[in-house]
């Protein structure tokens, strides 16, 4: 199957039992990017689509594996389950804080948006019909937080045509690390005429490869010595993932169908996924951590879709509910150590007997998400010269935030009220509500020329309530001291005032209670010209937006929505066995939501800038007999067009009172590589009665800035370019398949994210005996070389 980049055709959306024949004999790629089934080559937008069988061939098991083969998409990861996805350079260095901006990319599971406030779900990729990556803005049909693009994970539907299934086992080993395995399977069961159920299950054990090596430190203020001897372990960042999906499909009659799905997953991780870049470690894949680290991420989703026709119009009603809970443990001792070395921080922490305690600090977090959505849409006949699709949309997502910053055994007088040993508590409820009416109208002016206009009218209403900060005994200005009274004063200003009621259970009082709302509309205009049955060109002007929100520091104003205008020229062509697609685009990003750390290390969001992103995407695919060759790349050049100021103003003058220049005009946007590309070569050949194959893939990601702001980028450093290669060889019969593979064949140490724990005033001066206040730097690296063997059997 020839692969595309702007419309990357890696597979066909067909039932699993028919997948092999489709990938071999057909060039028809069915997608639902425009919320109706269409041949990918007829859809005048930039789409990447990777089908069921190709996902397996590319050794895809998690989100990061998928994005490796999407040249216009970038991932910034903090470990399994904590990832931010970016399209086409639309990134300003967001830190994904729970009280910060929503993502710029929306993630969908079938019809349901599943992007939680801190990023995308890391769903194990098994029994997916396809993955669709829609470069944005996709705001007309997909709305808020699809400003830069949309990632759709489409599952295989229940099939009433027959009973079948598959089961597979993978055994693998990671270089410098441990062994791992994957067990997965599905069964499709007809249960009545026109009705079927599909049950899918998976279990994945990922071996660790980061070593927590021995280390010790002495706190300057007290002489207390800390050791991590109890936590020293090789390969300590292992992960366990298991889940299941049950789907039921019923044809009520010739016109109406119902599909219901329940899916859930649990992911348990231990340790850190970053290697330390400091004097404490001597080699790659090592770190020195003084407190337990890990996470437990569990979620369950239920969705219902009803499809039918009224007259000759299609009607779709869909809705769903998602619940997610993440429990995290994080080492925060670096901050405690460096701050103590700088200012005698440890001298402030004592027990009830006035003895100094170890100022070692760690974080325990519990984040609870709920998301409900509903959409009703109608679509006119797809073969009519005048076509309409439109509907109504509503969703509500909430995030109950709990972050406990703990120093063991501190005195009751400096402990946040209601906690055991918290020096700091964040206990907040964030609610984001979105409502919209949308529609797109397409008219065929001639047999070759079509015009499309789209509009989405939206309203968002977002709020943040609860508590954050220190105890009243530790700080006289923030935290409990800043809690609100019913007359608008604070506890600090009016200790005798009547406190407002506690809004969020588990908080000692309330010091933030704000909301923001906005209404508006975004648009899309498109012209498509069919040069022939196998070639088209298109031009698009579209706009997307990201809702505004609340700064958790109550003295700061809310931040507004930012908007992205996209101007794009694209083409899709097929010439026999050869396919060539591409797009040229410019994006103007206005009123950018810029996040940075303010006083007390709290994330602040300001609408502070304007950026322009220009790029080109191109791909080719060729197939002859058993040989396929696919190659694609993206080139993206993004920079800010006006000075980025700490406080925005109409003149972009950063010298005004209280202001600060964060980045000068011309500074390159962070996170995104200018060049990213891949190539896949595959040869299939007969081996007796079996079909054999050999495949080689190469991926390249260019260098990136780690931060938009030059000063901070100089501290953390640029992210270097890296290239990886994958190899596989195997055979299969009608029912059996055996494959050996290696990913990251040459064991490249690519860095996808970087961070530092330090005291800002001296951050980046280095960690040595003479300068112990510089900070500890951590690089999130891609997984080392993995060698594995897979077996599967269809039945």
């Amino acid at each position: 199957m020839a692969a595309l980049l702007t419309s990357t055709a890696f597979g066909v959306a067909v039932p699993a039992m028919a997948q092999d024949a489709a990938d071999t004999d057909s060039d028809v790629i069915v997608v639902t990017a425009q919320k109706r089934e269409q041949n990918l080559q007829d859809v005048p937008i930039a789409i990447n689509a990777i089908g069921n069988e190709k996902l397996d061939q590319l050794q895809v098991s998690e989100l990061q594996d998928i994005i490796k083969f999407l040249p216009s998409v970038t991932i910034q990861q903090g470990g399994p389950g904590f990832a931010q996805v970016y399209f086409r350079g639309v990134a300003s260095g967001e830190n994904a804080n729970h009280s910060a901006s929503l993502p710029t990319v929306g993630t969908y599971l079938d019809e349901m948006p599943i992007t939680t406030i801190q990023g995308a779900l890391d769903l194990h990729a098994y029994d997916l019909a396809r993955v669709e990556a829609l470069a944005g803005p996709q705001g007309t049909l997909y709305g808020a937080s699809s400003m830069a693009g949309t990632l759709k994970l489409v599952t295989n539907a229940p099939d009433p045509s027959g009973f079948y299934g598959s089961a597979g086992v993978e055994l693998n080993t990671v270089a410098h690390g441990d062994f791992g395995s994957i067990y997965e399977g599905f069964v499709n069961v007809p249960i009545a005429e026109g009705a079927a159920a599909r049950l899918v299950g998976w279990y994945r054990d990922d071996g660790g490869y980061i070593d927590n090596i021995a280390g010790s430190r002495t706190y300057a203020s007290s002489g207390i010595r800390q050791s991590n001897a109890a936590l020293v372990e090789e390969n300590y960042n292992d992960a366990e993932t298991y889940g299941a999906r049950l789907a039921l499909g019923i044809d009520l009659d010739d016109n109406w169908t119902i599909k219901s799905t329940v899916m859930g997953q649990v992911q348990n991780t231990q340790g850190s996924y970053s290697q330390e870049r400091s004097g404490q470690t001597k080699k790659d894949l090592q770190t020195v951590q003084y407190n337990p680290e890990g996470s437990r991420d569990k979620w369950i989703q239920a969705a219902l879709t009803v499809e039918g026709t009224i007259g000759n119009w299609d009607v779709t009603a869909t809705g769903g509910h998602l619940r997610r809970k993440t429990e995290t443990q994080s080492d925060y001792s670096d901050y405690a150590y460096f701050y103590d070395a700088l200012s005698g921080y440890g001298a402030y922490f004592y027990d009830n007997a006035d003895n100094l305690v170890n100022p070692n600090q760690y974080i325990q977090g519990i984040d609870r998400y709920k998301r409900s959505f509903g959409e009703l849409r109608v679509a006119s006949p797809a073969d009519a010269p005048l076509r309409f699709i439109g509907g109504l949309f509503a969703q509500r997502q909430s995030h109950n935030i709990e972050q406990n910053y703990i120093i063991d055994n501190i005195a009751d007088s400096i402990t946040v009220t209601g906690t055991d040993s918290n020096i700091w508590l964040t206990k907040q409820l964030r609610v984001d509500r979105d409502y919209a009416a949308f529609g797109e109208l397409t008219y065929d002016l001639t047999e070759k020329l079509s015009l499309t206009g789209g509009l989405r009218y939206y309203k968002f209403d977002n709020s943040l309530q609860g508590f954050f900060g220190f105890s009243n005994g530790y700080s006289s200005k923030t935290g409990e001291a800043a809690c609100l009274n019913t007359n608008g004063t604070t506890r600090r200003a009016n200790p005798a005032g009547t406190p407002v009621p506690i809004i969020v259970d588990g908080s000692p009082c309330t010091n933030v209670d704000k909301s923001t709302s906005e209404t508006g509309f975004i648009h899309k205009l498109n012209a498509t010209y069919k040069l022939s049955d196998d070639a088209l060109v298109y031009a698009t002007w579209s706009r997307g937006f990201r809702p505004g929100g609340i700064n958790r520091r109550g003295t700061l104003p809310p931040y507004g929505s930012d908007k992205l205008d996209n101007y794009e020229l694209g083409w899709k062509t097929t010439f026999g066995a050869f396919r060539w697609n591409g797009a040229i685009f410019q994006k103007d990003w206005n009123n950018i939501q810029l996040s940075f750390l303010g006083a007390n290390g709290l994330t602040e969001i300001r609408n502070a800038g304007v950026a322009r992103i220009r790029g080109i995407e191109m791909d080719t695919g060729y197939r002859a007999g058993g040989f396929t060759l696919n190659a694609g790349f993206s080139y993206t050049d993004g920079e800010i067009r006006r000075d980025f100021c700490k406080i925005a103003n109409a003149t972009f003058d950063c010298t005004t009172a209280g202001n600060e220049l964060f980045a000068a005009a011309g500074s390159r946007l962070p996170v995104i590589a200018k060049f990213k590309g891949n190539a896949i070569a595959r040869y299939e050949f007969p081996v007796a009665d079996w079909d054999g194959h050999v495949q080689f893939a190469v991926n390249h990601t260019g260098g990136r800035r780690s931060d938009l702001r030059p000063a901070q980028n100089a501290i953390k450093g640029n992210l270097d370019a890296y290239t990886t290669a994958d190899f596989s060889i195997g055979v299969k019969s009608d029912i059996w398949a055996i494959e050996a593979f290696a990913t990251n064949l040459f064991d490249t140490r690519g860095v996808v994210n970087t961070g530092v724990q330090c005291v800002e005033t001296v951050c980046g001066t280095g960690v040595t005996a003479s300068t112990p206040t510089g900070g500890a730097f951590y690089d999130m690296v891609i997984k080392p070389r993995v060698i594995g063997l897979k077996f599967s059997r269809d039945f």
Side-chain angles (χ1 to χ4, degrees):
M1 179 64 63
L4 310 177
L5 175 114
T6 305
S7 305
T8 305
F10 283 127
V12 182
V14 295
M17 292 295 286
Q19 184 75 43
D20 293 346
D23 279 344
T24 304
D25 301 330
S26 175
D27 284 324
V28 177
I29 314 300
V30 178
V31 295
T32 55
Q34 297 193 123
K35 299 205 172 183
R36 65 167 93 213
E37 290 189 352
Q38 294 174 282
N39 182 342
L40 182 145
Q41 287 298 96
D42 293 334
V43 181
I45 61 175
I47 312 171
N48 300 56
I50 307 178
N52 186 340
E53 185 176 15
K54 189 58 71 174
L55 289 168
D56 183 62
Q57 292 173 359
L58 296 173
Q59 320 307 331
V60 168
S61 61
E62 57 186 341
L63 187 62
Q64 183 171 325
D65 300 332
I66 298 172
I67 288 173
K68 182 169 68 172
F69 294 99
L70 303 175
S72 61
V73 188
T74 299
I75 190 170
Q76 189 177 39
Q77 210 155 9
F82 299 92
Q84 294 293 311
V85 178
Y86 302 99
F87 270 84
R88 288 183 169 179
V90 183
S92 62
E94 296 89 346
N95 61 12
N97 181 273
H98 45 73
S99 301
S101 300
L102 288 163
T104 60
V105 173
T107 307
Y108 274 68
L109 181 56
D110 293 323
E111 293 281 346
M112 181 175 179
I114 58 169
T115 310
T116 57
I117 292 168
Q118 285 186 271
L121 298 182
D122 196 0
L123 171 67
H124 178 70
Y126 177 67
D127 197 48
L128 296 179
R130 64 190 176 278
V131 174
E132 297 179 19
L134 290 60
Q138 294 298 332
T140 304
L141 292 180
Y142 291 94
S145 289
S146 285
M147 179 176 74
T150 302
L151 195 65
K152 292 187 68 176
L153 310 175
V154 183
T155 62
N156 279 315
D159 176 12
S161 68
F163 175 88
Y164 57 87
S166 181
V169 176
E170 176 186 315
L171 303 176
N172 60 63
T173 179
V174 59
H176 321 287
D178 217 336
F179 292 93
S181 59
I182 300 176
Y183 307 88
E184 53 195 11
F186 78 90
V187 60
N188 187 92
V189 183
I191 54 179
E193 184 177 355
R198 194 178 188 98
L199 178 62
V200 186
W202 59 90
Y203 177 88
R204 191 175 86 227
D205 179 21
D206 293 320
Y209 49 87
I210 301 287
D211 298 338
N212 191 23
I213 66 174
S216 62
R217 55 176 41 148
T218 300
Y219 288 91
S221 64
S222 62
I224 293 175
R225 186 172 177 80
Q226 182 180 20
S227 169
N228 73 339
L231 298 174
V232 171
E233 182 181 351
E234 292 185 348
N235 311 322
Y236 90 130
N237 65 319
D238 54 347
E240 175 190 55
T241 305
Y242 55 91
R245 180 177 86 246
L246 176 62
L248 177 65
I250 303 174
D251 295 331
L252 299 177
D253 55 29
D254 292 339
N255 296 322
W256 290 89
T257 64
I258 294 176
K259 179 186 174 184
S260 59
T261 304
V262 177
M263 183 186 307
Q265 181 175 281
V266 177
Q267 188 170 65
N268 298 313
T269 72
Q270 300 294 327
S272 168
Y273 282 76
S274 298
Q275 63 184 23
E276 192 165 344
R277 184 182 8 131
S278 72
Q280 298 185 85
T281 57
K282 306 300 182 185
K283 314 189 286 188
D284 289 346
L285 307 180
Q286 289 184 341
T287 189
V288 182
Q289 298 298 292
Y290 291 87
N291 294 287
E293 293 200 302
S295 66
R296 179 176 175 83
D297 181 9
K298 59 182 181 180
W299 56 267
I300 187 168
Q301 179 238 17
L304 177 68
T305 299
V306 179
E307 297 177 297
T309 59
I310 298 178
N312 59 356
W313 283 59
D314 295 327
V315 179
T316 301
T318 183
H321 183 73
L322 170 72
R323 292 199 175 199
R324 182 186 187 189
K325 180 181 180 182
T326 61
E327 300 172 85
T328 56
Q329 298 183 89
S330 305
D331 185 6
Y332 204 53
S333 62
D334 292 331
Y335 175 81
Y337 173 70
F338 296 125
Y339 198 31
D340 178 69
L342 176 69
S343 62
Y345 170 79
Y348 296 98
F349 303 118
Y350 46 87
D351 60 20
N352 287 329
D354 290 330
N355 299 311
L356 288 175
V357 300
N358 187 342
N360 167 59
Q361 193 169 159
Y362 57 96
I363 307 170
Q364 293 181 344
I366 303 176
D367 294 273
R368 299 175 176 88
Y369 307 87
K370 295 180 182 178
R371 185 178 195 133
S372 300
F373 101 105
E375 181 175 288
L376 175 65
R377 66 177 184 268
V378 296
S380 64
D383 56 356
L386 181 64
R387 301 178 294 280
F388 173 79
I389 184 169
L392 302 173
F393 173 88
Q395 72 171 350
R396 182 185 189 274
Q397 53 179 330
S398 66
H399 182 184
N400 191 310
I401 307 158
E402 181 177 331
Q403 299 288 313
N404 300 283
Y405 289 70
I406 300 170
I407 301 177
D408 289 331
N409 304 315
I410 58 175
D412 295 342
S413 60
I414 58 174
T415 298
V416 176
T417 302
T419 68
D420 291 332
S421 200
N422 276 33
I423 190 63
W424 175 283
L425 172 68
T426 299
K427 187 61 177 167
Q428 297 174 330
L429 179 64
R430 172 177 179 166
V431 180
D432 293 68
R433 308 167 185 86
D434 302 287
Y435 314 94
F438 62 92
E440 287 191 1
L441 188 66
T442 300
Y443 181 61
D444 297 333
L445 289 176
T446 69
E447 291 184 355
K448 294 182 177 295
L449 178 63
S450 300
L451 299 179
T452 297
L455 195 69
R456 189 180 188 98
Y457 178 81
Y458 66 83
K459 177 182 179 180
F460 67 78
D461 185 359
N462 301 335
S463 62
L464 184 68
Q465 300 172 310
F467 173 84
F468 70 98
F470 299 107
S471 71
N472 196 40
Y474 186 76
S475 172
S476 62
K477 298 180 179 180
T478 62
E480 294 187 52
C483 281
L484 303 170
N485 294 320
T486 54
N487 62 358
T489 62
T490 64
R491 179 179 296 181
R492 174 191 177 197
N494 184 14
T498 303
V500 302
I502 292 175
I503 298 174
V504 181
D505 291 341
S507 55
C509 50
T510 299
N511 59 15
V512 58
D513 182 9
K514 284 192 172 184
S515 63
T516 184
S517 62
E518 180 182 300
T519 59
F521 68 90
I522 53 177
H523 66 267
K524 172 183 175 181
L525 296 173
N526 173 274
T528 302
Y529 187 80
K530 289 190 175 182
L531 301 170
S532 69
D533 290 341
D534 298 318
L536 65 80
V537 293
Y538 66 87
T540 297
W541 173 28
S542 57
R543 174 173 292 177
F545 82 105
R546 176 170 52 168
I550 301 299
N551 276 294
R552 62 171 164 163
R553 187 184 297 280
T555 55
L556 296 176
Y559 54 93
S561 60
D562 50 359
K563 292 183 171 62
L564 188 75
D565 282 295
N566 177 56
Y567 309 93
E568 181 171 335
L569 296 173
W571 63 93
K572 296 187 176 185
T573 63
T574 305
F575 305 102
F578 182 76
R579 186 175 292 168
W580 178 44
N581 291 11
I584 301 171
F585 59 86
Q586 174 175 311
K587 296 179 182 294
D588 293 331
W589 189 5
N590 294 291
N591 216 30
I592 297 173
Q593 295 175 11
L594 177 67
S595 60
F596 61 94
L597 294 181
N600 302 115
L602 293 180
T603 297
E604 297 182 7
I605 312 293
R606 310 272 187 164
N607 296 102
V610 176
R612 184 188 67 196
I613 304 163
R614 289 175 173 171
I616 181 172
E617 302 171 345
M618 201 175 299
D619 70 88
T620 59
Y622 176 75
R623 182 182 64 181
F627 177 74
T628 60
L629 177 63
N630 310 306
F633 77 91
S634 67
Y635 179 84
T636 307
D637 186 14
E639 63 178 35
I640 60 171
R641 303 295 294 163
R642 305 293 297 270
D643 288 349
F644 253 172
C645 303
K646 178 179 179 180
I647 303 174
N649 53 57
T651 61
F652 294 86
D653 181 3
C654 302
T655 63
T656 55
N659 216 333
E660 179 184 346
L661 175 65
F662 277 155
S667 296
R668 180 180 164 193
L669 293 175
V671 180
I672 309 300
K674 280 192 174 182
F675 181 86
K676 185 185 178 191
N678 65 63
I680 306 166
R682 182 180 178 89
Y683 182 62
E684 298 178 348
F685 51 89
V687 180
D689 294 332
W690 294 53
D691 296 321
H693 73 268
V694 60
Q695 179 175 285
F696 185 79
V698 61
N699 295 269
H700 177 79
T701 300
R704 293 135 289 148
R705 290 175 64 98
S706 61
D707 200 289
L708 172 68
R709 299 160 294 173
Q712 283 71 19
N713 190 74
I715 292 171
K716 293 188 290 185
N718 289 325
L719 307 181
D720 292 336
Y722 64 92
T723 302
T724 63
D726 303 337
F727 176 78
S728 64
I729 185 170
V731 294
K732 67 178 181 178
S733 67
D734 291 339
I735 60 173
W736 288 99
I738 305 171
E739 183 178 48
F741 69 90
T743 60
N744 194 5
L745 182 62
F746 302 109
D747 200 23
T748 301
R749 204 72 69 237
V751 177
V752 296
N753 199 0
T754 190
V756 57
Q757 278 193 30
C758 64
V759 181
E760 287 192 357
T761 54
V762 291
C763 193
T765 59
V767 184
T768 66
S770 60
T771 60
T773 57
F777 296 80
Y778 296 92
D779 293 330
M780 173 77 186
V781 295
I782 62 174
K783 188 177 290 187
R785 178 178 57 248
V786 175
I787 296 175
L789 188 63
K790 300 196 300 187
F791 305 86
S792 66
R793 188 185 190 281
D794 297 336
F795 55 85

